[in-house]
Amino acid sequence: MGFRHPAIGGTTSSIGKTRVAMNKELIINSSEQGVEIALLENKKLVELHYENGQNEFAVGDLYLGKVKKLMPGLNAAFVDVGYEKDAFLHYTDLSPYIRSLLKFTRQCIDGNTTWGDDFGKFKNEGEIVKTGKITEVMNSRPEILVQILKEPISAKGPRLSCEISLPGRFVVLTPFNDVVAISRKIHSSDERKRLQRIVESIKPKNLGVIVRTAAEGKETSELHADILSLEDMWKTVQKNLKGAKAPKIIVNEQDKTTSILRDLLSESFQKIVVNDKKLMLETKEYIARIAPDQEEIVTYHNGGQAIFDTYGINKQVKASFGKTVNLNSGSYLIIEHTEALHVIDVNSGTRSAESGQEQNALATNLEAAEEIVRQIRLRDLGGIVIIDFIDMKLPEHKKQIVEAMENLMATDRARHTILPISKFGLMQITRQRLRPELNISTAEVCPTCNGTGKIGPSILLVDDIEKDFKYLIDQGHRSLSLHVHPIMEAYLTKGVFFNSIAWKWYRKYKVRLKVIADNNSPLTQYHFYDLKTDDLIKL
């Protein structure tokens, strides 16, 4: 047919190369604003995800949409899924089984599910041809089950697909076919045959299976459990479609924490640290389900210091998201963005040229390659990325850089293509773009005036803190901590022996106050916390 499923594509670079063992850590910071998830590889921040509890139209979500407009010139349709702008559905994303999907959607809405719990009894319709027209398929403006392929980016609405796929830890389920496909990244022919044989013997009829790379070496029972859970999810889709009216969400993709664990969890994970007890228990419960032997790597962070400060994440974020990124050798990168592409310029900076210009350029480029790959993943750069490496004359050196980039990007989950260095010294990379680029401003509003140019009298700040401290004591609080800027913390705790301001307050009020430095706190801002519950006390 020529339709390419998104779950099986991807680059299989660095075949046969020795990979450096990765120590992975997942640090999860839960706050009132939402959940921040940081992935560290060998203590370096490589991915940063945000979940604010309102992540609608996320990649993988299933919606019941209504076809609003057909665009024969584009061979596409605009579909209402409830977003402010209609979503885009191209003919090439319809799936060969679109007629079956349309029939399935209609019958589920009407409650006419004659196949009951056995989807194998559903009678498929004929496949469509790759070179067909959207008007031949969607002319009646039907309601249709669709999946978010790309999240809304910039001024564009979501991009949709009708190639429904339900991802599990080891397999991906694809309804309306009986195809079994094995990930290209599983290279052993014996292992591919073993997995093919197992999956064909246990898979339900009318549900295709794509075997993911994580399935390599897994037992039949593990694969079967994964398939059964996805089959249950497909039954949930059928149930949620009954009586539904478009636009309506049918099934949410799992939250960011569990979807990251599902896709990334491996033996190389050393620890998962969470600062929220409820979320920690949920994470532990999920891992107990998918990988019982790794349940113990989940721990609760209960320190006085913020979790992202403890693991150096805030510092790495500040150092990583500016226009200029400094490297250890004194070299640096300049990263520029436009609507169409991203440009990364490698500069030698203060690096010594004692070893000769060519060797110096090679060493700088190799160091830059590692940081560039980290930046691409961290910022989630998509589309076209142009890298201007330092000029090298020898072809073998250029080849070495390309091989290094391929090897380093082998762990990137997004599909990508790396082209050789051109005669102008430029490397071009295309990378799958599914979500808006992560763009964090590292410039800070003046912590003293909050951008107004005016501040209150700082001489009164200590008096204000003491007044609030006394008020909380009068309200019955006896176990308190004070989070302030590090300069303020030093000021309140300085002094010989028991002569600090904090100790004077202790002698005066008979209640000890634990003063904690908070790197994210503006100079004149302070917060009181209950030491027993770690809850912020609002004044």
Side-chain angles (χ1 to χ4, degrees):
M1 285 298 299
F3 285 85
R4 184 166 180 255
H5 197 285
I8 3 180
T11 305
T12 55
S13 51
S14 65
I15 296 170
K17 294 183 186 294
T18 304
R19 302 234 181 116
V20 179
M22 285 286 181
N23 291 330
K24 293 181 183 177
E25 298 169 291
L26 207 63
I27 313 301
I28 304 172
N29 176 36
S30 179
S31 65
E32 289 180 356
Q33 289 73 40
V35 178
E36 296 174 287
I37 304 160
L39 174 64
L40 305 181
E41 288 182 356
N42 296 335
K43 304 296 181 185
K44 274 195 167 185
L45 179 66
V46 293
E47 287 185 28
L48 193 60
H49 301 270
Y50 290 91
E51 187 178 357
N52 57 18
Q54 298 175 333
N55 284 8
E56 294 182 296
F57 309 104
V59 173
D61 284 353
L62 292 172
Y63 280 81
L64 177 63
K66 170 74 175 169
V67 176
K68 301 293 281 188
K69 190 190 296 182
L70 298 178
M71 303 291 288
L74 296 173
N75 206 14
F78 284 100
V79 182
D80 178 15
V81 291
Y83 188 66
E84 59 193 54
K85 293 192 175 180
D86 286 342
F88 184 76
L89 174 63
H90 194 269
Y91 185 87
T92 54
D93 293 318
L94 283 186
S95 153
Y97 317 107
I98 181 64
R99 297 191 197 280
S100 299
L101 180 62
L102 285 166
K103 175 183 171 183
F104 169 82
T105 306
R106 188 172 60 252
Q107 291 188 338
C108 284
I109 293 171
D110 296 341
N112 184 26
T113 51
T114 53
W115 58 91
D117 283 337
D118 184 3
F119 188 63
K121 293 178 181 174
F122 176 83
K123 187 167 171 40
N124 284 341
E125 298 296 309
E127 298 181 15
I128 62 169
V129 294
K130 183 182 176 184
T131 53
K133 304 293 181 189
I134 194 89
T135 48
E136 297 166 0
V137 182
M138 298 286 193
N139 213 22
S140 61
R141 309 281 201 284
E143 291 185 326
I144 179 69
L145 182 68
V146 291
Q147 191 162 31
I148 304 294
L149 186 63
K150 289 186 181 181
E151 292 177 12
I153 296 173
S154 189
K156 301 172 185 174
R159 180 156 181 177
L160 306 177
S161 172
C162 289
E163 294 198 74
I164 307 300
S165 60
L166 306 176
R169 190 173 177 213
F170 304 123
V171 301
V172 177
L173 222 57
T174 58
F176 310 111
N177 69 82
D178 283 296
V179 175
V180 175
I182 312 292
S183 166
R184 299 175 191 173
K185 293 184 181 179
I186 298 176
H187 305 301
S188 163
S189 59
D190 288 343
E191 178 62 5
R192 293 176 72 87
K193 285 174 188 172
R194 184 187 77 90
L195 290 169
Q196 183 94 23
R197 192 171 58 251
I198 290 172
V199 172
E200 283 180 349
S201 68
I202 61 175
K203 81 165 204 64
K205 194 180 175 216
N206 219 11
L207 290 169
V209 175
I210 298 165
V211 180
R212 306 181 75 168
T213 314
E216 194 166 6
K218 298 302 175 188
E219 299 297 325
T220 306
S221 58
E222 294 174 280
L223 298 173
H224 195 210
D226 207 24
I227 289 173
L228 286 175
S229 69
L230 295 176
E231 191 181 9
D232 286 342
M233 190 188 294
W234 184 237
K235 288 175 183 174
T236 303
V237 170
Q238 295 173 204
K239 188 176 75 177
N240 292 350
L241 276 172
K242 187 176 180 180
K245 289 187 178 179
K248 184 184 178 183
I249 187 160
I250 301 301
V251 172
N252 272 98
E253 165 68 312
Q254 292 170 309
D255 60 68
K256 278 276 185 3
T257 310
T258 51
S259 64
I260 288 170
L261 288 173
R262 179 193 68 204
D263 292 344
L264 291 180
L265 189 66
S266 65
E267 291 76 11
S268 57
F269 261 94
Q270 300 300 302
K271 63 169 76 165
I272 298 170
V273 190
V274 193
N275 69 341
D276 179 87
K277 282 185 179 174
K278 182 170 178 279
L279 187 58
M280 186 269 288
L281 291 171
E282 287 173 2
T283 305
K284 207 161 192 170
E285 188 181 306
Y286 179 72
I287 290 187
R289 218 163 55 238
I290 67 167
D293 54 321
Q294 288 181 273
E295 186 183 350
E296 295 308 311
I297 67 175
V298 184
T299 57
Y300 175 59
H301 174 81
N302 195 21
Q305 195 177 27
I307 188 169
F308 271 19
D309 282 338
T310 302
Y311 291 90
I313 293 163
N314 281 330
K315 186 176 179 182
Q316 289 195 55
V317 168
K318 295 290 184 188
S320 299
F321 277 91
K323 177 181 172 180
T324 303
V325 178
N326 294 309
L327 307 179
N328 291 335
S329 66
S331 310
Y332 60 95
L333 309 175
I334 302 288
I335 303 177
E336 297 275 11
H337 310 274
T338 71
E339 182 66 24
L341 51 81
H342 310 275
V343 180
I344 303 175
D345 185 31
V346 181
N347 293 275
S348 57
T350 57
R351 180 187 269 277
S352 167
E354 290 174 8
S355 55
Q357 187 175 342
E358 181 73 10
Q359 284 300 322
N360 183 52
L362 175 64
T364 303
N365 287 338
L366 285 170
E367 182 189 23
E370 191 172 343
E371 182 60 29
I372 287 167
V373 170
R374 174 175 168 259
Q375 288 290 329
I376 287 173
R377 287 180 65 191
L378 185 55
R379 301 183 190 220
D380 204 8
L381 303 185
I384 300 171
V385 181
I386 305 292
I387 305 168
D388 184 8
F389 283 108
I390 296 171
D391 288 341
M392 297 174 295
K393 292 185 173 64
L394 299 178
E396 58 264 32
H397 287 170
K398 292 180 181 179
K399 187 181 176 186
Q400 202 173 330
I401 297 298
V402 175
E403 287 176 349
M405 287 294 292
E406 288 176 343
N407 196 26
L408 289 162
M409 286 196 73
T411 55
D412 190 354
R413 287 177 290 157
R415 286 205 307 271
H416 56 270
T417 304
I418 301 171
L419 297 182
I421 296 174
S422 72
K423 63 180 179 181
F424 300 117
L426 303 176
M427 174 182 283
Q428 182 176 315
I429 298 174
T430 60
R431 186 173 182 270
Q432 184 183 25
R433 184 181 187 184
L434 299 177
R435 300 177 179 87
E437 172 200 339
L438 187 59
N439 195 6
I440 297 173
S441 174
T442 54
E444 296 180 357
V445 173
C446 171
T448 309
C449 72
N450 287 321
T452 64
K454 297 177 182 179
I455 63 166
S458 55
I459 196 169
L460 300 180
L461 182 62
V462 173
D463 292 344
D464 290 340
I465 295 173
E466 185 178 0
K467 280 179 194 170
D468 288 341
F469 182 40
K470 182 178 182 303
Y471 169 77
L472 292 174
I473 292 169
D474 292 342
Q475 294 298 309
H477 289 278
R478 290 293 180 272
S479 184
L480 294 165
S481 66
L482 173 70
H483 290 233
V484 290
H485 188 277
I487 292 174
M488 200 66 204
E489 185 265 345
Y491 180 69
L492 292 173
T493 57
K494 73 172 185 177
V496 181
F497 201 42
F498 297 133
N499 284 332
S500 70
I501 294 171
W503 268 99
K504 286 176 184 174
W505 288 346
Y506 172 62
R507 289 197 296 271
K508 186 174 179 180
Y509 300 111
K510 303 296 184 283
V511 173
R512 184 165 294 166
L513 179 67
K514 186 176 181 180
V515 184
I516 296 171
D518 183 354
N519 290 324
N520 289 326
S521 175
L523 183 62
T524 56
Q525 195 176 90
Y526 59 92
H527 294 291
F528 286 95
Y529 285 80
D530 188 312
L531 265 179
K532 290 180 180 174
T533 63
D534 278 340
D535 290 336
L536 172 67
I537 300 171
K538 293 184 179 178
L539 290 160

